[in-house]
Amino acid sequence: MTNKPPKKKRLKILYISREDIPPRGTGGVHTWEVANNLVDMGHSVTVICMRRDDQRSTEKMGNLTLIRMGLELGGKRIPLMALRRFGELFRPDYDIIMERQESFGGAGMIVSRIKNTPLLLEVNSPHWGELKWKWDERKAWGRKPVLALLKAWETLQFKSSAANIATLRTI
């Protein structure tokens, strides 16, 4: 009788990121590497990401599918705008939804709650803290209600996640 290791389950993962792939910046490099490493581990990964003018809206690379779209509004990247691709978000039965935590993110959280699919929140920096510091510095009119709303939204993202992963212990 031989003891065979249990067969690893191949997961279908939806990964939502505001970055562009192939990358032009460090955030894109991070998203690209995470997605490819998950594919190398045998998983099927669909990434919803930023689309540049020179890119196709959909591209398949083996077990990696890229769905690119405009995520900019007023010159700012707003990952929550991924909800415009409602069909791609809800059509497949994803095993895990992974989202880069952003103050203006949360598309993965919404899909996760509706479909009852576990959310893995990837935390790379304290976005709300950065926004608060920038806005305090600018002394923007009416910033306190907006900051309170953003903080509540961020808290909801964290409470909605099954697990959080971070690049540093301090985060």
Side-chain angles (χ1 to χ4, degrees), residues 101-103 121 125-129 149-159:
Q101 191 277 323
E102 304 264 351
S103 295
L121 201 58
S125 69
H127 289 275
W128 180 83
L149 182 62
L150 287 174
K151 181 62 176 167
W153 183 246
E154 180 180 81
T155 299
L156 182 61
Q157 288 179 55
F158 279 103
K159 286 184 177 181

Side-chain angles (χ1 to χ4, degrees), residues 10 39 43-45 59-65:
R10 179 178 159 185
V39 167
H43 305 299
S44 174
V45 181
E59 190 171 349
K60 184 119 174 92
M61 301 173 186
N63 283 332
L64 177 62
T65 301

Side-chain angles (χ1 to χ4, degrees), residues 61-92:
M61 301 173 186
N63 283 332
L64 177 62
T65 301
L66 300 173
I67 298 173
R68 299 183 185 104
M69 60 181 296
L71 296 174
E72 289 189 336
L73 183 64
K76 302 290 182 201
R77 289 186 184 181
I78 313 288
L80 191 57
M81 291 175 62
L83 290 174
R84 293 182 307 155
R85 295 299 286 265
F86 194 80
E88 284 89 353
L89 293 170
F90 285 90
R91 188 178 315 126

Side-chain angles (χ1 to χ4, degrees), residues 10-152:
R10 179 178 159 185
L11 299 173
K12 289 190 276 181
I13 302 169
L14 172 64
Y15 185 11
I16 300 172
S17 174
R18 70 182 189 112
E19 306 300 338
D20 54 341
I21 297 176
R24 286 197 177 161
T26 56
V29 170
H30 176 85
T31 300
W32 177 250
E33 291 297 324
V34 168
N36 278 300
N37 282 313
L38 289 168
V39 167
D40 288 346
M41 293 169 65
H43 305 299
S44 174
V45 181
T46 298
V47 181
I48 294 184
C49 58
M50 181 69 190
R51 181 180 181 199
R52 296 187 311 258
D53 290 337
D54 62 336
Q55 295 177 316
R56 291 182 289 183
S57 60
T58 305
E59 190 171 349
K60 184 119 174 92
M61 301 173 186
N63 283 332
L64 177 62
T65 301
L66 300 173
I67 298 173
R68 299 183 185 104
M69 60 181 296
L71 296 174
E72 289 189 336
L73 183 64
K76 302 290 182 201
R77 289 186 184 181
I78 313 288
L80 191 57
M81 291 175 62
L83 290 174
R84 293 182 307 155
R85 295 299 286 265
F86 194 80
E88 284 89 353
L89 293 170
F90 285 90
R91 188 178 315 126
D93 289 325
Y94 295 109
D95 298 303
I96 294 174
I97 297 173
M98 186 171 164
E99 181 171 29
R100 289 191 69 169
Q101 191 277 323
E102 304 264 351
S103 295
F104 297 106
M109 175 195 66
I110 292 169
V111 174
S112 166
R113 284 178 157 241
I114 292 170
K115 291 191 70 165
N116 198 28
T117 303
L119 173 66
L120 176 62
L121 201 58
E122 179 187 4
V123 186
N124 294 301
S125 69
H127 289 275
W128 180 83
E130 290 176 11
L131 281 174
K132 182 181 183 313
W133 177 77
K134 288 177 185 174
W135 283 15
D136 281 348
E137 195 175 74
R138 293 183 191 146
K139 308 246 185 273
W141 178 84
R143 71 181 178 269
K144 287 186 180 181
V146 173
L147 289 173
L149 182 62
L150 287 174
K151 181 62 176 167

